[in-house]
């Protein structure tokens, strides 16, 4: 009881230290093979990411929040946007060269690498959250009354149980994908390409375990620890005339397949807005142009803020806006990479 309570910004600063750990996640990583760990981009840098920066080299994002209670998006320089300290310079260049140094053609390897990069980022985040648990547990209730401390510790215990289970599953997924990477075996995956013309405007990459379809149908039960979770890997890339949203999932996984099936049945006019709301609700690792943000009405901005700042979008009731303006004209929706019709 004599300990002084830490202010929120101090707690946030301590927590974020765990998300700056430098390590190389390549399966052949070792002191002999790795050099300097770099700030590796998770989003296609020379393509999708550069499409949303302004003249000063900045884009907007809600992640991470500034800890000061602001609900406004923050400016982020392109060199820092979408990065994590998860690969050494050598392995980042060798592994993701087919994405960064070649035109995106929707090859099985390129699609796999989009998913693999998202999976590595997801694992890095889960590891950081896991490593932060015990140190933060000792700090978060400092200066509180015994009753409040008990409530905080119980809440932290439940949260940590979820983090631990998520970390276990992410390690298993990463191990399987490591072997596929080394063997160049990409046959166990399915894809959906949503091609569009127009400014890219919003970019993202992530691996959400979607539990609701666009209409609200339940796809999987996330709190059932006896069931394997089925992630959907999602990335935005530059393509001829505009861009593409690439959905990738395991061929045997039913939840992402059902989501994609319902998405394809939606009118092409609505799909861009649905996808962008999905990204901003479920993937913190999302960035957008100031031009697109400033084109939204006050009501639309309020809706996007609510999506981006939900503590748990999987168990929060929310609905998709019908008419979110996105400057994309859908030119093709297909399970294989095809040139859009003229």
């Amino acid at each position: 009881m004599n300990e002084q309570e830490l202010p929120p910004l101090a707690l946030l600063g301590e927590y974020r230290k765990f998300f700056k750990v430098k390590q190389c996640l390549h399966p052949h990583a070792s002191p002999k093979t790795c050099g300097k760990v770099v700030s590796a981009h998770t989003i296609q840098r020379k393509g999708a990411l550069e499409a949303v920066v302004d003249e000063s080299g900045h884009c907007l994002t809600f992640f991470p929040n500034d800890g000061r209670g602001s609900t406004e998006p923050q400016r982020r320089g392109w060199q820092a946007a979408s990065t994590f300290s998860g690969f050494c310079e050598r392995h980042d260049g060798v592994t993701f060269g087919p994405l960064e140094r070649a035109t995106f053609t929707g090859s099985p390897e390129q699609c796999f690498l989009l998913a693999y990069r998202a999976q590595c980022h997801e694992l890095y985040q889960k590891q950081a959250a896991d490593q932060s648990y015990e140190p933060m547990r000792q700090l978060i209730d400092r200066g509180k009354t015994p009753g409040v401390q008990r409530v905080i510790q119980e809440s932290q215990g439940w949260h940590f149980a979820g983090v631990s289970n998520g970390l276990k599953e992410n390690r298993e997924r990463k191990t399987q994908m490591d072997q596929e990477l080394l063997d160049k075996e990409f046959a166990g995956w399915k894809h959906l390409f949503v091609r569009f013309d127009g400014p890219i405007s919003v970019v993202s990459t992530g691996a959400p375990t979607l539990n609701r379809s666009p209409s609200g149908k339940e796809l999987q039960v996330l709190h059932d620890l006896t069931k394997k979770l089925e992630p959907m890997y999602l990335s935005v890339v530059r393509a001829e005339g505009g861009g593409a949203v690439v959905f990738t999932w395991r061929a045997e996984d039913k939840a992402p397949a059902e989501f994609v099936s319902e998405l394809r049945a939606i009118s092409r006019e609505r799909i861009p807005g649905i996808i962008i709301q999905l990204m901003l609700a479920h993937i913190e690792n999302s960035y957008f142009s100031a031009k697109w943000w400033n084109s939204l009405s006050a009501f639309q901005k309020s809706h996007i803020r609510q999506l981006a700042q939900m503590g748990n979008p999987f168990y929060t009731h929310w609905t998709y806006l019908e008419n979110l303006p996105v400057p994309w004209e859908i030119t093709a929706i297909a399970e294989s990479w095809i040139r859009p019709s003229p």
Side-chain angles (χ1 to χ4, degrees):
M1 288 295 294
N2 295 325
E3 294 180 318
Q4 185 174 358
E5 183 176 347
L6 290 179
L9 281 178
L11 283 171
L12 184 61
E14 290 298 316
Y15 181 65
R16 286 183 176 166
K17 288 179 182 178
F18 295 93
F19 293 80
K20 297 178 180 178
V21 174
K22 295 184 177 183
Q23 64 176 132
C24 182
L25 293 172
H26 191 274
H28 285 167
S30 73
K32 292 183 178 180
T33 62
C34 295
K36 176 185 177 182
V37 172
V38 296
S39 294
H41 283 272
T42 60
I43 297 173
Q44 186 188 41
R45 181 168 62 89
K46 291 186 177 180
L49 189 59
E50 70 178 6
V52 300
V53 301
D54 60 20
E55 295 79 5
S56 68
H58 290 77
C59 54
L60 298 180
T61 185
F62 288 100
F63 172 76
N65 66 66
D66 61 7
R68 301 176 189 276
S70 173
T71 62
E72 291 302 303
Q74 303 157 61
R75 296 177 77 237
R76 187 82 72 245
W78 72 268
Q79 290 182 314
S82 87
T83 59
F84 75 124
S85 301
F87 282 94
C88 71
E89 187 172 25
R90 175 176 178 269
H91 284 126
D92 185 50
V94 169
T95 305
F96 302 110
L99 290 176
E100 297 294 342
R101 297 193 297 270
T103 300
F104 188 82
T105 60
S107 71
E109 180 182 31
Q110 286 180 320
C111 293
F112 173 84
L113 290 175
L114 289 173
Y116 183 69
R117 189 150 62 177
Q119 180 59 61
C120 289
H121 182 251
E122 187 75 12
L123 176 61
Y124 182 91
Q125 298 292 102
K126 288 289 190 295
Q127 287 181 161
D130 179 74
Q131 292 162 3
S132 74
Y133 172 71
E134 186 57 32
M136 294 306 299
R137 188 184 69 80
Q138 297 181 33
L139 293 176
I140 198 169
D141 65 354
R142 276 179 50 172
K144 308 287 188 184
T145 64
V148 172
Q149 286 182 332
R150 283 193 295 272
V151 172
I152 290 174
Q153 292 300 326
E154 182 177 346
S155 175
Q156 285 293 100
W158 282 108
H159 175 70
F160 181 65
V163 169
S164 296
N165 186 66
L167 176 59
K168 177 177 177 291
E169 287 213 351
N170 273 275
R171 281 175 172 162
E172 291 172 353
R173 290 186 206 126
K174 165 77 164 41
T175 297
Q176 184 177 3
M177 294 176 79
D178 283 343
Q179 196 59 54
E180 290 171 318
L181 174 74
L182 297 177
D183 294 342
K184 292 190 176 296
E185 177 53 63
F186 313 124
W189 296 87
K190 299 198 73 173
H191 319 288
L192 183 74
F193 303 99
V194 179
R195 303 281 301 273
F196 61 86
D197 284 344
I200 290 180
S201 301
V202 183
V203 296
S204 184
T205 190
T209 49
L210 301 175
N211 65 329
R212 298 284 177 183
S213 71
S215 68
K217 175 185 176 183
E218 187 173 61
L219 302 175
Q220 55 184 323
V221 181
L222 304 184
H223 56 264
D224 185 348
L225 301 184
T226 66
K227 299 288 182 62
K228 179 181 77 72
L229 297 182
E230 299 177 352
M232 168 77 82
Y233 298 93
L234 181 158
S235 295
V236 179
V237 298
R238 186 190 287 278
E240 181 182 356
V245 183
V246 183
F247 296 90
T248 302
W249 65 98
R250 288 274 175 200
E252 67 271 18
D253 286 351
K254 296 180 179 179
E258 286 188 48
F259 185 94
V260 163
S261 178
E262 188 171 305
L263 180 71
R264 297 186 71 172
I266 296 172
S267 69
R268 288 194 174 191
E269 291 73 23
R270 287 187 59 212
I271 285 178
I274 296 292
I275 290 176
I276 283 184
Q277 290 174 80
L278 164 68
M279 293 190 299
L280 292 172
H282 286 283
I283 304 174
E284 292 179 330
N285 190 31
S286 297
Y287 302 83
F288 47 95
S289 69
K291 183 177 181 180
W292 174 74
W293 176 251
N294 292 332
S295 74
L296 302 181
S297 69
F299 173 76
Q300 290 159 350
K301 287 180 178 179
S302 176
H303 175 73
I304 293 299
R305 290 189 196 98
Q306 291 174 358
L307 295 187
Q309 293 160 3
M310 286 186 292
N312 188 336
F314 303 101
Y315 289 103
T316 302
H317 177 71
W318 63 278
T319 57
Y320 290 89
L321 281 184
E322 291 285 328
N323 58 346
L324 184 71
V326 181
W328 297 355
E329 180 182 353
I330 302 297
T331 56
I333 303 176
E335 295 180 8
S336 59
W337 188 260
I338 57 176
R339 293 180 62 88
S341 301

